Amino acid sequence: MIYLRLFLSFFKIGLFGFGGGYAILSLIEHEVLRYGWMTPQEFTDIVAVSQMTPGPIGINSATYTGFTACQTAGMNEWMCVAGSVVATSAIILPSVIIMLIICQVYLRLKGNKWVEGSLQTLRVTVIGLIAAAALLLMTPENFIDRWSVALFVLVFIGTLVLKMHPILLICIAGVMGHIIY
């Protein structure tokens, strides 16, 4: 019964949770507290752990919640791992289904001038949104000084001109930041 509750709860969260991982945390918390799978303090701890581990916070929270919910129900460790798999699968399943439908529609309408025009507009819009987010972060409080601008220019050149690997650039920027600041 716990597996069915986990699946239905996280499928619903995956289906209606728009806005990314942080936006769905309140939905997850509502379900967690509704079924008594953990206390508010335990949920806060799970969110903290989910932030520190690699991967999307919503999926990490679902995984940990599935495990903890089964522990609360008195299940053994392997049954709790199955609870993690159920919750994680359920939260990503709506996205997978929606993307498969969109891909099918796109493949049928790939040559359509209206679809191609819409996609071109979306590409430009995404670039604008990313640029806007970068500009919002460029404030005096975020240490925008000559060194930061120089590091930005070097990373930009490394990406576009030198075609350096992003992970290498992140490591170089981290070392440079440590040395400079």
Side-chain angles (χ1 to χ4, degrees):
M1 186 67 176
I2 184 97
Y3 295 135
L4 180 62
R5 275 195 189 150
L6 280 169
F7 182 84
L8 293 175
S9 293
F10 282 99
F11 187 84
K12 178 175 61 175
I13 291 166
L15 188 60
F16 295 108
F18 296 100
Y22 289 103
I24 66 171
L25 285 178
S26 63
L27 295 172
I28 295 173
E29 181 180 28
H30 173 75
E31 293 296 312
V32 162
L33 298 178
R34 174 179 168 200
Y35 290 112
W37 289 332
M38 63 186 77
T39 66
Q41 179 60 43
E42 289 173 323
F43 180 73
T44 303
D45 293 342
I46 282 180
V47 170
V49 170
S50 297
Q51 289 174 327
M52 293 185 297
T53 54
I57 189 169
I59 294 174
N60 290 346
S61 296
T63 304
Y64 296 128
T65 300
F67 191 88
T68 306
C70 290
Q71 278 184 328
T72 302
M75 297 179 161
N76 67 33
E77 191 171 301
W78 289 107
M79 294 175 86
C80 292
V81 170
S84 292
V85 171
V86 168
T88 304
S89 301
I91 201 167
I92 65 170
L93 187 59
S95 298
V96 170
I97 292 169
I98 291 168
M99 285 308 300
L100 288 174
I101 292 169
I102 289 172
C103 287
Q104 287 295 321
V105 170
Y106 173 74
L107 289 175
R108 288 190 184 139
L109 301 174
K110 189 165 60 174
N112 186 304
K113 69 177 185 176
W114 296 100
V115 172
E116 293 299 323
S118 297
L119 290 175
Q120 182 62 32
T121 303
L122 284 174
R123 286 185 204 109
V124 173
T125 303
V126 168
I127 291 169
L129 289 171
I130 293 171
L135 290 173
L136 286 173
L137 293 173
M138 292 178 141
T139 63
E141 295 83 26
N142 288 329
F143 303 104
I144 300 301
D145 57 9
R146 61 184 163 86
W147 291 108
S148 298
V149 172
L151 191 56
F152 169 79
V153 170
L154 289 174
V155 170
F156 190 77
I157 291 169
T159 302
L160 285 177
V161 178
L162 303 176
K163 307 286 187 208
M164 294 174 69
H165 196 282
I167 295 175
L168 177 61
L169 288 170
I170 290 170
C171 292
I172 290 170
V175 169
M176 294 293 294
H178 182 70
I179 291 170
I180 293 169
Y181 298 109

